[in-house]
Amino acid sequence: MKNLTDLLSNIDSDLAAVISSITDTGIAINQLLQQGALAGILGAAGNENVQGEEQKKLDVIANDMLIDALKNVPSCAGMASEEMDTILPANASGKYLVTFDPLDGSSNIDINMAVGTIFSILPRTASGEPKEPEFLQKGSEQVAAGYILYGPSTMLALTTGSGTHLFTLNPKDSSYVVTTENVQISPSTKEFAINMSNQRHWEAPMQDYINECLAGETGVRGKNFNMRWVAAMVGDVHRILCRGGLFTYPLDKKDPKKPAKLRLMYEGNPMSMLIEQAGGQSTTARERMLDIQPEALHQRVPVVLGSSEEVARIAQLHAEFDTSVGA
Ligand code: F6P
């Protein structure tokens, strides 16, 4: 396999059409990002999204671009976006449903740092115009998942269920060239990613885990850890696909109305499929992410993903804690 076209020619052509539409739109979003302030797309749009967060101009623009592209793909039955309150039906006879976060890490836009588009593709379970309950499928049902990372170079991470592959966009001919086939995440790592400013709000077992890492070679783990935090999940997950590591956005008590930050349908599930297909693990600290039965489109979940030894250690600490408090 040399490029994305090779991969797409070996899967269901209807699924390939949905994926191409997203990856082509990624090229157009990338072109806007490259122009930055010159394209007049930075700053706030003056709205809040359904999560109560300020929308950036480019969040809105990227969302509209994906909608416009996907509604013209006959095999796309409907879509749901982190930026929209409800689902958007597309073509009733389509075979696939798409969920996406059009621009993850949007607080990075105005400072010229990495951001990305995350997507998940689900099969249809009914016919006719899709309704919201049909989108509420477990992550294990996904037929494809991926992200486009807009960094110093633009990269695509994609899985259609047989491995996770990384592609680099060749700006000369707008093709996605395979740069790592069948990513393999090392089971062990010395790197973790977490927003440390929330430390006092975490549950006890997460505090214990990070304290173990911080104790380094003088502690029970017997090795020194390094910390990295891109502040865009897409960047942190990309680092893990490239060189292993642990990423977590755990439960916290900062805002009782929002015990978890990341969204299952737009972030948790697609990233978990990519990570598992690359040999890593992804959980909530208590259960496998891809086994969660979604209850709502915008449901939030704690996320623990990456190198399997660290994900397992966090699960062990949580299980011991739950036993000790009789949970
Ligand atoms: O909602 C998404 C997101 O931007 C993630 O991409 C990122 O991991 C997280 O929020 C960063 O949040 P903060 O740095 O505010 O804790």
Side-chain angles (χ1 to χ4, degrees):
M1 178 170 65
K2 288 199 173 61
N3 52 40
L4 179 60
T5 319
D6 294 338
L7 186 150
L8 297 182
S9 63
N10 282 314
I11 61 170
D12 170 32
S13 58
D14 290 328
L15 177 59
V18 175
I19 295 173
S20 295
S21 152
I22 298 168
T23 53
D24 287 351
T25 307
I27 295 173
I29 295 172
N30 180 54
Q31 280 160 358
L32 279 179
L33 279 163
Q34 298 270 309
Q35 295 172 59
L38 302 180
I41 43 146
L42 305 186
N47 303 318
E48 283 190 348
N49 68 10
V50 66
Q51 322 284 339
E53 298 157 339
E54 183 191 68
Q55 281 182 304
K56 299 283 178 183
K57 277 187 197 166
L58 203 57
D59 290 358
V60 181
I61 296 166
N63 196 50
D64 291 348
M65 288 166 82
L66 283 161
I67 291 171
D68 286 348
L70 284 165
K71 72 178 184 216
N72 289 316
V73 180
S75 50
C76 175
M79 54 203 115
S81 159
E82 190 187 299
E83 300 296 338
M84 300 190 296
D85 297 7
T86 54
I87 65 137
L88 188 69
N91 303 293
S93 58
K95 284 159 60 177
Y96 298 106
L97 303 170
V98 184
T99 73
F100 52 84
D101 179 352
L103 215 56
D104 175 61
S106 49
S107 61
N108 274 357
I109 299 172
D110 291 344
I111 54 167
N112 201 23
M113 293 289 148
V115 289
T117 297
I118 309 172
F119 59 93
S120 155
I121 305 178
L122 291 159
R124 287 221 62 187
T125 56
S127 55
E129 187 171 287
K131 304 272 185 304
E132 187 166 319
E134 211 193 320
F135 283 76
L136 304 181
Q137 300 180 44
K138 291 181 181 175
S140 54
E141 299 299 322
Q142 293 172 107
V143 291
Y147 61 74
I148 302 158
L149 171 70
Y150 312 106
S153 53
T154 299
M155 294 194 68
L156 165 71
L158 178 66
T159 178
T160 54
S162 37
T164 289
H165 314 292
L166 299 180
F167 304 79
T168 302
L169 178 67
N170 179 352
K172 291 194 181 127
D173 63 3
S174 292
S175 65
Y176 287 96
V177 180
V178 175
T179 37
T180 311
E181 200 169 339
N182 275 316
V183 174
Q184 290 302 319
I185 300 173
S186 153
S188 69
T189 181
K190 293 180 173 179
E191 219 161 51
F192 67 88
I194 192 167
N195 184 340
M196 285 293 294
S197 68
N198 293 326
Q199 183 169 25
R200 70 186 186 285
H201 305 294
W202 303 330
E203 289 184 287
M206 189 52 74
Q207 305 252 9
D208 292 344
Y209 172 74
I210 293 297
N211 284 337
E212 283 183 358
C213 295
L214 297 179
E217 42 185 37
T218 61
V220 292
R221 301 302 305 275
K223 60 181 181 180
N224 293 326
F225 282 78
N226 196 7
M227 195 197 91
R228 285 288 179 269
W229 183 247
V230 177
M233 185 190 195
V234 70
D236 284 307
V237 169
H238 188 68
R239 186 185 57 256
I240 290 170
L241 290 179
C242 291
R243 65 173 191 220
L246 181 280
F247 168 86
T248 179
Y249 214 111
L251 280 182
D252 69 49
K253 297 196 180 74
K254 196 157 86 174
D255 175 355
K257 292 195 294 295
K258 220 199 276 179
K261 168 144 190 173
L262 302 177
R263 293 79 171 170
L264 177 61
M265 305 293 293
Y266 315 107
E267 291 161 327
N269 278 342
M271 293 311 203
S272 299
M273 184 176 183
L274 286 165
I275 291 286
E276 284 199 2
Q277 286 291 321
Q281 287 183 11
S282 181
T283 72
T284 62
R286 292 185 166 90
E287 67 178 311
R288 180 180 175 233
M289 186 76 60
L290 296 181
D291 286 340
I292 297 175
Q293 175 58 57
E295 285 165 10
L297 211 49
H298 296 291
Q299 182 172 341
R300 295 175 190 265
V301 280
V303 174
V304 176
L305 61 77
S307 292
S308 54
E309 286 176 12
E310 299 309 309
V311 178
R313 178 68 184 150
I314 292 175
Q316 183 192 359
L317 289 168
H318 282 73
E320 286 168 8
F321 171 77
D322 290 349
T323 306
S324 73
V325 297

